[in-house]
Amino acid sequence: GQSLEQPSEVTAVEGAIVQMNCTYQTSGFYGLSWYQQHDGGAPTFLSYNALDGLEETGRFSSFLSRSDSYGYLLLQELQMKDSASYFCAVRGGSNYQLIWGAGTKLIIKP
Amino acid sequence: DAGVTQSPTHLIKTRGQQVTLRCSPKSGHDTVSWYQQALGQGPQFIFQYYEEEERQRGNFPDRFSGHQFPNYSSELNVNALLLGDSALYLCASSPGQVNNEQFFGPGTRLTVL
Protein backbone atom coordinates (compact mmCIF):
# COMPACT_ATOMS: atom_id res chain seq x y z
CA GLY A 1 0.00 0.00 0.00
CA GLN A 2 0.90 3.65 -0.25
CA SER A 3 0.41 6.30 2.42
CA LEU A 4 1.64 9.75 3.36
CA GLU A 5 1.53 11.35 6.79
CA GLN A 6 1.47 15.06 7.51
CA PRO A 7 0.64 16.94 10.72
CA SER A 8 -2.88 18.28 10.42
CA GLU A 9 -2.12 21.78 11.65
CA VAL A 10 0.87 24.00 12.40
CA THR A 11 0.80 27.47 13.97
CA ALA A 12 3.57 30.04 13.55
CA VAL A 13 4.19 33.76 13.99
CA GLU A 14 4.54 36.28 11.18
CA GLY A 15 8.21 36.74 10.27
CA ALA A 16 9.25 33.41 11.77
CA ILE A 17 10.38 30.14 10.12
CA VAL A 18 8.20 27.03 9.96
CA GLN A 19 8.91 23.44 8.94
CA MET A 20 6.16 21.08 7.74
CA ASN A 21 7.01 17.39 7.64
CA CYS A 22 5.92 14.55 5.39
CA THR A 23 6.65 10.85 5.79
CA TYR A 24 5.68 8.39 3.11
CA GLN A 25 5.36 4.70 2.44
CA THR A 26 5.17 3.66 -1.21
CA SER A 27 5.91 0.56 -3.25
CA GLY A 28 7.97 2.66 -5.65
CA PHE A 29 9.30 6.19 -5.41
CA TYR A 30 10.19 8.69 -8.08
CA GLY A 31 9.90 12.03 -6.31
CA LEU A 32 8.21 14.24 -3.70
CA SER A 33 6.21 17.34 -4.61
CA TRP A 34 4.78 20.14 -2.51
CA TYR A 35 1.64 22.14 -3.31
CA GLN A 36 0.00 25.11 -1.62
CA GLN A 37 -3.77 25.53 -1.49
CA HIS A 38 -5.57 28.55 -0.09
CA ASP A 39 -9.12 28.07 1.18
CA GLY A 40 -11.46 27.86 -1.80
CA GLY A 41 -8.56 27.94 -4.24
CA ALA A 42 -6.73 25.56 -6.51
CA PRO A 43 -3.49 23.81 -5.51
CA THR A 44 -0.38 25.54 -6.83
CA PHE A 45 2.96 23.82 -7.35
CA LEU A 46 5.80 24.80 -5.01
CA SER A 47 8.64 22.31 -5.47
CA TYR A 48 9.76 18.83 -6.51
CA ASN A 49 12.58 16.71 -5.09
CA ALA A 50 13.75 13.55 -6.84
CA LEU A 51 17.15 13.34 -5.13
CA ASP A 52 18.26 13.70 -1.51
CA GLY A 53 19.04 17.15 -0.26
CA LEU A 54 17.68 20.65 -0.05
CA GLU A 55 16.12 22.64 -2.90
CA GLU A 56 15.67 26.37 -2.36
CA THR A 57 13.31 28.73 -4.18
CA GLY A 58 13.12 32.14 -2.57
CA ARG A 59 11.52 31.89 0.86
CA PHE A 60 10.60 28.25 0.27
CA SER A 61 12.94 25.26 0.66
CA SER A 62 12.14 21.57 0.33
CA PHE A 63 14.18 18.68 1.67
CA LEU A 64 14.18 14.97 0.87
CA SER A 65 15.77 11.95 2.50
CA ARG A 66 14.92 8.83 0.50
CA SER A 67 16.58 6.50 3.02
CA ASP A 68 14.25 7.84 5.75
CA SER A 69 11.19 8.16 3.44
CA TYR A 70 10.91 11.69 4.76
CA GLY A 71 10.72 15.21 3.47
CA TYR A 72 9.88 18.66 4.70
CA LEU A 73 8.90 22.08 3.43
CA LEU A 74 10.56 25.07 5.08
CA LEU A 75 9.04 28.54 4.88
CA GLN A 76 11.09 31.55 5.98
CA GLU A 77 10.07 35.12 6.79
CA LEU A 78 6.46 34.06 7.13
CA GLN A 79 3.81 36.39 5.77
CA MET A 80 0.08 36.39 6.48
CA LYS A 81 -0.54 35.39 2.85
CA ASP A 82 1.28 32.10 3.54
CA SER A 83 -1.73 30.96 5.58
CA ALA A 84 -2.92 27.98 3.55
CA SER A 85 -2.89 24.20 3.42
CA TYR A 86 0.30 22.53 2.26
CA PHE A 87 0.23 19.11 0.63
CA CYS A 88 3.04 16.70 -0.04
CA ALA A 89 2.54 14.30 -2.92
CA VAL A 90 4.61 11.30 -3.92
CA ARG A 91 4.97 10.05 -7.45
CA GLY A 92 5.30 6.33 -7.07
CA GLY A 93 3.64 2.96 -7.22
CA SER A 94 3.45 0.70 -10.21
CA ASN A 95 1.65 3.20 -12.40
CA TYR A 96 3.63 6.33 -11.52
CA GLN A 97 0.59 8.17 -10.22
CA LEU A 98 0.67 11.11 -7.80
CA ILE A 99 -0.44 10.14 -4.28
CA TRP A 100 -1.32 13.04 -1.95
CA GLY A 101 -1.17 13.49 1.78
CA ALA A 102 -4.08 14.96 3.75
CA GLY A 103 -2.28 18.28 4.07
CA THR A 104 -1.03 20.56 6.84
CA LYS A 105 -3.04 23.68 7.60
CA LEU A 106 -0.61 26.51 8.36
CA ILE A 107 -2.01 29.19 10.67
CA ILE A 108 0.01 32.38 10.97
CA LYS A 109 -0.49 34.78 13.84
CA PRO A 110 0.58 38.43 13.78
CA ASP B 1 -2.43 33.11 -21.59
CA ALA B 2 -5.43 31.45 -19.98
CA GLY B 3 -4.73 28.91 -17.31
CA VAL B 4 -6.73 25.77 -16.68
CA THR B 5 -10.47 26.42 -16.83
CA GLN B 6 -13.28 24.25 -15.53
CA SER B 7 -17.04 24.35 -15.86
CA PRO B 8 -19.41 24.54 -14.20
CA THR B 9 -18.22 26.16 -10.97
CA HIS B 10 -20.92 24.60 -8.84
CA LEU B 11 -23.40 21.82 -9.46
CA ILE B 12 -26.20 20.26 -7.44
CA LYS B 13 -27.51 16.82 -8.36
CA THR B 14 -29.61 14.13 -6.72
CA ARG B 15 -28.67 10.54 -6.05
CA GLY B 16 -28.77 8.32 -9.10
CA GLN B 17 -28.29 11.13 -11.59
CA GLN B 18 -25.39 11.51 -13.98
CA VAL B 19 -23.02 14.48 -14.26
CA THR B 20 -20.47 15.75 -16.78
CA LEU B 21 -17.68 18.11 -15.78
CA ARG B 22 -15.48 19.91 -18.28
CA CYS B 23 -11.88 21.06 -18.33
CA SER B 24 -9.73 23.06 -20.74
CA PRO B 25 -5.99 22.69 -20.13
CA LYS B 26 -3.43 25.46 -20.05
CA SER B 27 -2.20 26.47 -23.50
CA GLY B 28 0.56 24.12 -24.65
CA HIS B 29 -0.41 21.31 -22.29
CA ASP B 30 -1.49 17.94 -23.69
CA THR B 31 -2.07 15.90 -20.53
CA VAL B 32 -5.08 16.21 -18.23
CA SER B 33 -5.53 14.60 -14.82
CA TRP B 34 -8.68 14.58 -12.71
CA TYR B 35 -8.81 14.59 -8.92
CA GLN B 36 -11.53 14.35 -6.28
CA GLN B 37 -10.99 16.40 -3.13
CA ALA B 38 -13.28 15.87 -0.16
CA LEU B 39 -13.51 18.61 2.45
CA GLY B 40 -10.39 18.71 4.62
CA GLN B 41 -8.61 16.04 2.57
CA GLY B 42 -5.94 15.92 -0.07
CA PRO B 43 -6.82 15.39 -3.73
CA GLN B 44 -7.41 11.76 -4.76
CA PHE B 45 -6.23 10.81 -8.24
CA ILE B 46 -9.06 9.61 -10.51
CA PHE B 47 -7.38 9.22 -13.91
CA GLN B 48 -5.11 10.82 -16.46
CA TYR B 49 -5.67 11.38 -20.18
CA TYR B 50 -2.98 11.73 -22.81
CA GLU B 51 -3.38 11.48 -26.58
CA GLU B 52 -7.13 10.97 -26.10
CA GLU B 53 -6.65 7.80 -24.05
CA GLU B 54 -6.88 7.01 -20.37
CA ARG B 55 -3.29 6.29 -19.38
CA GLN B 56 -3.46 5.90 -15.60
CA ARG B 57 -6.31 5.27 -13.21
CA GLY B 58 -6.66 5.59 -9.45
CA ASN B 59 -8.86 3.54 -7.17
CA PHE B 60 -12.23 4.74 -8.46
CA PRO B 61 -15.16 2.61 -9.70
CA ASP B 62 -16.25 2.35 -13.32
CA ARG B 63 -18.99 4.90 -12.60
CA PHE B 64 -16.23 7.43 -13.15
CA SER B 65 -15.29 7.75 -16.80
CA GLY B 66 -13.72 10.37 -18.97
CA HIS B 67 -12.81 11.54 -22.38
CA GLN B 68 -10.16 13.71 -23.99
CA PHE B 69 -10.80 15.58 -27.21
CA PRO B 70 -8.35 16.37 -30.04
CA ASN B 71 -7.93 19.92 -28.66
CA TYR B 72 -6.76 18.33 -25.34
CA SER B 73 -9.85 19.43 -23.40
CA SER B 74 -11.40 16.76 -21.24
CA GLU B 75 -14.63 15.63 -19.62
CA LEU B 76 -15.25 13.71 -16.43
CA ASN B 77 -18.50 11.73 -16.28
CA VAL B 78 -19.94 10.25 -13.12
CA ASN B 79 -22.93 7.91 -13.34
CA ALA B 80 -25.36 6.76 -10.65
CA LEU B 81 -24.33 9.51 -8.25
CA LEU B 82 -23.96 8.69 -4.57
CA LEU B 83 -24.01 11.07 -1.63
CA GLY B 84 -20.34 10.27 -1.12
CA ASP B 85 -19.51 11.71 -4.54
CA SER B 86 -20.04 15.21 -3.13
CA ALA B 87 -16.63 16.87 -3.40
CA LEU B 88 -14.49 19.39 -5.25
CA TYR B 89 -13.40 17.96 -8.59
CA LEU B 90 -10.10 19.34 -9.78
CA CYS B 91 -8.60 19.18 -13.22
CA ALA B 92 -4.84 19.56 -13.67
CA SER B 93 -2.85 19.87 -16.86
CA SER B 94 0.81 19.41 -17.71
CA PRO B 95 3.02 19.34 -20.81
CA GLY B 96 3.55 15.60 -21.04
CA GLN B 97 2.59 12.59 -18.97
CA VAL B 98 5.52 12.60 -16.58
CA ASN B 99 5.93 16.30 -15.94
CA ASN B 100 6.08 16.83 -12.20
CA GLU B 101 4.55 20.31 -12.16
CA GLN B 102 0.81 20.22 -12.61
CA PHE B 103 -1.34 23.29 -13.13
CA PHE B 104 -4.75 23.12 -11.49
CA GLY B 105 -8.06 24.65 -12.42
CA PRO B 106 -10.37 26.25 -9.83
CA GLY B 107 -12.45 23.08 -9.57
CA THR B 108 -16.12 22.16 -9.77
CA ARG B 109 -17.97 21.86 -6.47
CA LEU B 110 -20.42 18.95 -6.81
CA THR B 111 -23.14 18.49 -4.22
CA VAL B 112 -25.23 15.32 -4.33
CA LEU B 113 -28.51 15.44 -2.39
Side-chain angles (χ1 to χ4, degrees), chain B residues 36-56:
Chain B
Q36 179 194 68
Q37 186 176 26
L39 205 59
Q41 299 297 316
Q44 300 290 314
F45 175 73
I46 303 175
F47 42 54
Q48 181 193 73
Y49 275 85
Y50 173 72
E51 291 188 338
E52 301 180 49
E53 289 190 17
E54 183 183 296
R55 301 292 179 168
Q56 299 174 13

Side-chain angles (χ1 to χ4, degrees), chain A residues 33 35 37 40-45 48 87 91 95-103, chain B residues 35 37 40-43 45 56-58 88 90 97-102 104-106:
Chain A
S33 300
Y35 284 80
Q37 186 178 30
T44 55
F45 175 82
Y48 175 75
F87 295 92
R91 191 170 290 284
N95 61 357
Y96 201 68
Q97 65 177 262
L98 204 57
I99 309 298
W100 295 65
Chain B
Y35 294 85
Q37 186 176 26
Q41 299 297 316
F45 175 73
Q56 299 174 13
R57 189 177 183 94
L88 180 67
L90 294 163
Q97 278 186 277
V98 297
N99 193 291
N100 291 299
E101 181 176 359
Q102 294 189 326
F104 283 81

Side-chain angles (χ1 to χ4, degrees), chain A residues 4-56:
Chain A
L4 289 86
E5 287 195 19
Q6 299 182 251
S8 59
E9 191 176 289
V10 168
T11 301
V13 178
E14 191 176 16
I17 299 173
V18 70
Q19 177 176 314
M20 289 174 282
N21 299 322
C22 173
T23 57
Y24 59 86
Q25 192 172 26
T26 61
S27 54
F29 177 84
Y30 299 96
L32 180 69
S33 300
W34 289 91
Y35 284 80
Q36 177 193 62
Q37 186 178 30
H38 288 97
D39 283 346
T44 55
F45 175 82
L46 294 175
S47 67
Y48 175 75
N49 295 65
L51 302 175
D52 291 351
L54 191 68
E55 297 275 347
E56 298 180 52

Side-chain angles (χ1 to χ4, degrees), chain B:
Chain B
D1 175 27
V4 180
T5 60
Q6 292 186 243
S7 62
T9 307
H10 296 86
L11 204 51
I12 299 175
K13 292 285 188 178
T14 57
R15 280 179 297 174
Q17 285 190 310
Q18 177 264 344
V19 69
T20 297
L21 311 181
R22 296 176 175 81
C23 170
S24 290
K26 183 177 169 64
S27 177
H29 289 186
D30 56 7
T31 302
V32 173
S33 300
W34 285 92
Y35 294 85
Q36 179 194 68
Q37 186 176 26
L39 205 59
Q41 299 297 316
Q44 300 290 314
F45 175 73
I46 303 175
F47 42 54
Q48 181 193 73
Y49 275 85
Y50 173 72
E51 291 188 338
E52 301 180 49
E53 289 190 17
E54 183 183 296
R55 301 292 179 168
Q56 299 174 13
R57 189 177 183 94
N59 190 26
F60 278 80
D62 292 344
R63 299 187 297 109
F64 290 78
S65 64
H67 189 77
Q68 186 179 34
F69 299 93
N71 67 352
Y72 308 122
S73 66
S74 177
E75 287 182 350
L76 164 65
N77 301 293
V78 187
N79 294 323
L81 284 167
L82 304 174
L83 296 179
D85 294 332
S86 294
L88 180 67
Y89 287 84
L90 294 163
C91 168
S93 73
S94 60
Q97 278 186 277
V98 297
N99 193 291
N100 291 299
E101 181 176 359
Q102 294 189 326
F103 292 77
F104 283 81
T108 294
R109 173 71 63 187
L110 173 65
T111 302
V112 182
L113 302 176

